[in-house]
Amino acid sequence: MPTGDRPRERLRAVGAENLTNPELVAILLRTGVTGEGVVSLATRLLSEFNGPSGLSRASLSEMCTLRGISEVKAMHIHAALELGRRAAALNPDDRPTVGTPEDVHNYLGAEMARLSQENLRVVLLNTKNIVIGVRTVYQGTVNSAAVRVAEVLRPAIRENCPAIIVVHNHPSGDPTPSPEDILVTRRIRRGASEMDIELLDHLVIGERGFVSMKRRDLGF
């Protein structure tokens, strides 16, 4: 590759904001593999995970299944993406305000509807219902036996948040709450009340939309 076309040289010349996604990832990877340059490897990695958003959700082991991606390369990408997430969280102007279930769905729905496993996340809110963070509490099966109320509330207690919204997805695509979803909601609401934390809602997200359990008076 001509020197002027190399990602690091281009970053120096035109700035990171003018680089393509593959060029930015190539800088993190540093080197390609035999028979494949680093930009081509970066392009293949992004294609495999459907772009930066999908790459940010990929685990180290998932990245390492791709030919040419070592654990060290995967760690470099994970670290850079996590720094980006933390930097974004520090800017209060970029934090959304949630006033309705639709706001929460607009914020998390597109991503969570595509997940192949159940995820339970806690949206942390301040007194003005501004999102100060989202924490993934469970991955895998989200049911009444597996979910511990203390684990769900721990992020809110640690961050001293007065209110939370619980969100989880149904990989089947159908967002209809199950009896276990209602039971989990009831347990979380009671536990939150004891800790002076308000559970504002519990959303179930699927490819066919979402259900606000508060709006349907399920578990509340």
Side-chain angles (χ1 to χ4, degrees):
M1 182 181 294
T3 301
D5 291 339
R6 295 172 185 172
R8 280 182 289 181
E9 298 300 327
R10 279 184 35 76
L11 187 148
R12 182 182 293 114
V14 302
E17 66 274 13
N18 292 307
L19 267 60
T20 65
N21 289 336
E23 287 175 324
L24 291 171
V25 173
I27 290 173
L28 297 173
L29 296 176
R30 299 186 63 183
T31 61
V33 293
T34 302
E36 184 176 29
V38 67
V39 175
S40 175
L41 175 58
T43 300
R44 184 160 56 87
L45 178 64
L46 286 164
S47 176
E48 177 71 19
F49 293 103
N50 299 312
S53 179
L55 188 61
S56 70
R57 298 191 297 273
S59 66
L60 288 173
S61 59
E62 287 172 333
M63 287 189 201
C64 291
T65 61
L66 198 68
R67 184 181 66 84
I69 302 299
S70 65
E71 186 177 45
V72 171
K73 290 181 185 295
M75 285 180 176
H76 288 166
I77 294 170
H78 256 281
L81 291 169
E82 180 58 26
L83 277 174
R85 277 191 287 265
R86 294 184 186 187
L90 291 174
N91 187 350
D93 293 335
D94 293 335
R95 298 174 186 171
T97 299
V98 294
T100 67
E102 286 75 17
D103 291 336
V104 181
H105 183 254
N106 290 338
Y107 186 46
L108 295 174
E111 175 195 351
M112 294 190 68
R114 295 194 301 266
L115 297 176
S116 59
Q117 287 187 316
E118 280 188 291
N119 270 233
L120 187 146
R121 300 182 183 182
V122 178
V123 181
L124 306 174
L125 305 169
N126 66 13
T127 55
K128 297 181 179 179
N129 284 0
I130 296 175
V131 176
I132 63 172
V134 179
R135 304 290 184 267
T136 299
V137 182
Y138 285 95
Q139 296 185 45
T141 302
V142 179
N143 58 46
S144 58
V147 174
R148 296 181 63 245
V149 172
E151 292 298 321
V152 176
L153 299 179
R154 191 186 306 278
I157 295 170
R158 185 181 296 121
E159 301 291 338
N160 196 29
C161 295
I164 61 172
I165 295 173
V166 173
V167 186
H168 87 275
N169 65 305
H170 282 178
S172 65
D174 182 0
T176 303
S178 67
E180 287 196 330
D181 292 338
I182 298 172
L183 177 59
V184 166
T185 302
R186 188 174 293 123
R187 290 174 52 216
I188 295 172
R189 181 179 60 81
R190 289 173 179 168
S193 178
E194 292 176 0
M195 301 300 296
D196 291 325
I197 298 170
E198 185 177 5
L199 176 64
L200 297 180
D201 206 339
H202 181 175
L203 266 63
V204 183
I205 291 175
E207 288 185 347
R208 286 174 253 168
F210 75 96
V211 171
S212 162
M213 296 183 67
K214 177 68 175 293
R215 186 174 283 171
R216 293 196 181 182
D217 197 25
L218 299 173
F220 283 86

